[in-house]
Amino acid sequence: LDLSVIQTISRLAARSAWSLRPVLADLEQSRARTAFTGSLGQQLAAKGILTASDGGRRLLWDEEEEERERPLRPAATPRKLAVDELAAMLEEEGLFSQHFPGYEHRPQQVEMLRLVAEAFNRGEHLMVEAGTGTGKSIAYLLPAAHWAVHNGQRVVISTNTINLQDQLLTKDIPDLQRILPFEFKAVALKGRSNYVCPLRVRQLQQRAETTARTGGAGLSELELRVLATVLVWLPSTLTGDKQELFLPTAAENAIWGQLCSDTELCPPDRCRRENCFFYRARQAAESAHLIVVNHALLLADVAVENRVLPDYRYLIVDEAHHLEDNVTNQLSFEADQRSLERLLTDLSQSVGVRRYTGFFNTVGLRCRGALP
């Protein structure tokens, strides 16, 4: 670990009863006496992959990478899909049988592919009921990828389960990318709460340090453990995705709620300047041909009038029989004591006599010119 990370965690734990406090103190003293330079962050930086920035990391984009991240440009005149050619890929002597040993020709899959391709060509809505074993994913991915690439139009694919998302992103889409004669980009985009916010991490860290200096109780052992986990992880993550962490309990996930990207507490202009993982993921989605989301995020985008997902005209809803329940869950409002307390704490929290932290305090300091 970087010495600065160890020092930060040790400083936060100094007044706590955390069992790792003496271990961190000893490690800090030992590391300070040695010129150790082999941390993961330093190794990545030496390879030109990452560079330090405000306690987090920024990706170093080269010109080729910037070109790949440019938003798609829709074709002036849509190019219709060659339905017969697409269907031939799934026939007994077609492209799939040539590349995948044991490939099974399924007439229902070919029929579904034709219906999906015709729906793209005609700009029509289509509802399909496909039983288990139909091979529905390939039946819609194949025409969707061709349409997106040839017409510069992104296609959003929404699923209900993580298992299906994983199947699309780790098996079905890579299979297509390997055998199709053109390149296309596919990304997964998740809700804001899945991405860490480096700014909110620093705010919690500063709030804890200020509280400790003024004689307050500081962070609980659980809060320390979660914050330490995030501080250790931040220098090396390329995505900021919570899925990379192990937070198995509801209490740990509640603390994650103080550290993740939040629509109400993360100003869009600051997201563009800061090392914002959600903003970076959304930029990557701008240049993707296929964007895989879940129903919850799809409906959250509907609720805020398309401010979550990049603009799109073509949508495939898989596992659509779960959509009604998701509509009920996403387009309703729910408040509880814990969420209200978290919101009020983020807005303002007393850390001493006439001393406060939080959003309101930052606004006041800016109004007085004490902050840029």
Side-chain angles (χ1 to χ4, degrees):
L1 298 179
D2 290 328
L3 175 59
S4 61
V5 173
I6 297 172
Q7 290 173 329
T8 298
I9 300 173
S10 180
R11 187 167 62 250
L12 291 170
R15 295 171 57 86
S16 74
W18 190 19
S19 58
L20 286 182
R21 178 181 57 81
V23 177
L24 289 164
D26 290 345
L27 181 59
E28 180 184 358
Q29 292 180 2
S30 173
R31 183 66 60 79
R33 291 194 298 267
T34 61
F36 182 79
T37 59
S39 72
L40 177 59
Q42 289 164 328
Q43 292 174 31
L44 293 173
K47 296 177 181 178
I49 300 175
L50 304 171
T51 180
S53 173
D54 299 331
R57 293 292 187 265
R58 292 186 191 276
L59 285 174
L60 293 175
W61 304 104
D62 55 24
E63 292 183 2
E64 182 180 349
E65 186 70 28
E66 289 180 358
E67 180 63 30
R68 288 198 297 269
E69 294 299 320
R70 293 184 186 278
L72 298 183
R73 298 175 182 173
T77 303
R79 174 181 165 185
K80 290 191 175 184
L81 299 174
V83 180
D84 291 339
E85 293 180 11
L86 290 177
M89 295 182 185
L90 300 181
E91 296 293 351
E92 295 182 359
E93 301 299 326
L95 184 66
F96 276 70
S97 65
Q98 297 171 18
H99 284 83
F100 302 112
Y103 170 76
E104 178 186 355
H105 171 252
R106 287 168 280 190
Q108 296 90 345
Q109 184 183 43
V110 177
E111 181 185 3
M112 179 177 168
L113 179 144
R114 286 181 174 276
L115 292 171
V116 172
E118 290 291 355
F120 273 110
N121 285 343
R122 297 172 182 172
E124 296 176 344
H125 295 91
L126 173 68
M127 183 178 293
V128 177
E129 183 176 4
T132 303
T134 302
K136 57 184 173 62
S137 299
I138 295 299
Y140 64 68
L141 284 173
L142 196 53
H146 277 79
W147 183 269
V149 170
H150 297 318
N151 293 294
Q153 293 274 8
R154 62 182 64 90
V155 178
V156 173
I157 301 169
S158 180
T159 74
N160 184 63
T161 61
I162 294 176
N163 288 340
L164 180 54
Q165 281 191 342
D166 289 342
Q167 177 190 321
L168 294 177
L169 292 164
T170 62
K171 182 182 183 301
D172 295 340
I173 291 176
D175 282 347
L176 289 182
Q177 289 173 325
R178 189 169 68 253
I179 67 173
L180 291 180
F182 54 80
E183 294 184 358
F184 69 94
K185 178 180 176 182
V187 301
L189 188 59
K190 301 180 180 181
R192 294 191 76 122
S193 62
N194 289 279
Y195 300 93
V196 69
C197 173
L199 176 62
R200 297 189 75 198
V201 172
R202 290 200 302 274
Q203 287 176 340
L204 179 60
Q205 176 185 329
Q206 292 166 359
R207 188 161 69 236
E209 292 176 345
T210 303
T211 303
R213 285 198 301 269
T214 55
L219 299 178
S220 68
E221 181 177 332
L222 183 62
E223 288 174 322
L224 274 172
R225 190 164 70 241
V226 174
L227 181 56
T229 299
V230 172
L231 289 173
V232 168
W233 166 65
L234 261 181
S236 59
T237 180
L238 299 179
T239 66
D241 189 343
K242 173 189 173 186
Q243 190 174 359
E244 297 177 359
L245 296 177
F246 181 64
L247 301 175
T249 69
E252 289 172 321
N253 280 277
I255 296 168
W256 170 264
Q258 303 177 46
L259 305 173
C260 63
S261 179
D262 187 286
T263 304
E264 297 175 355
L265 300 171
C266 295
D269 60 329
R270 176 165 288 183
C271 283
R272 294 184 179 91
R273 297 195 307 268
E274 298 283 338
N275 180 32
C276 177
F277 291 101
F278 173 75
Y279 183 71
R280 183 189 299 164
R282 198 181 188 285
Q283 276 189 311
E286 291 277 358
S287 61
H289 299 95
L290 304 181
I291 304 174
V292 181
V293 302
N294 60 23
H295 293 349
L297 184 61
L298 175 70
L299 294 165
D301 184 63
V302 172
V304 297
E305 300 179 350
N306 195 224
R307 294 199 302 269
V308 176
L309 301 178
D311 289 336
Y312 64 92
R313 295 184 59 195
Y314 301 92
L315 169 66
I316 296 171
V317 180
D318 203 338
E319 299 178 311
H321 53 290
H322 293 288
L323 191 61
E324 182 180 357
D325 290 339
N326 278 274
V327 170
T328 302
N329 293 334
Q330 292 300 315
L331 301 186
S332 58
F333 178 78
E334 181 178 312
D336 56 28
Q337 181 176 347
R338 175 178 292 177
S339 64
L340 291 175
E341 287 178 348
R342 179 174 67 84
L343 176 61
L344 293 173
T345 298
D346 285 333
L347 291 175
S348 182
Q349 183 179 28
S350 173
V351 293
V353 179
R354 294 186 178 182
R355 293 177 61 86
Y356 301 91
T357 62
F359 178 73
F360 287 155
N361 181 62
T362 302
V363 171
L365 292 173
R366 288 190 174 184
C367 290
R368 294 195 298 271
L371 288 177

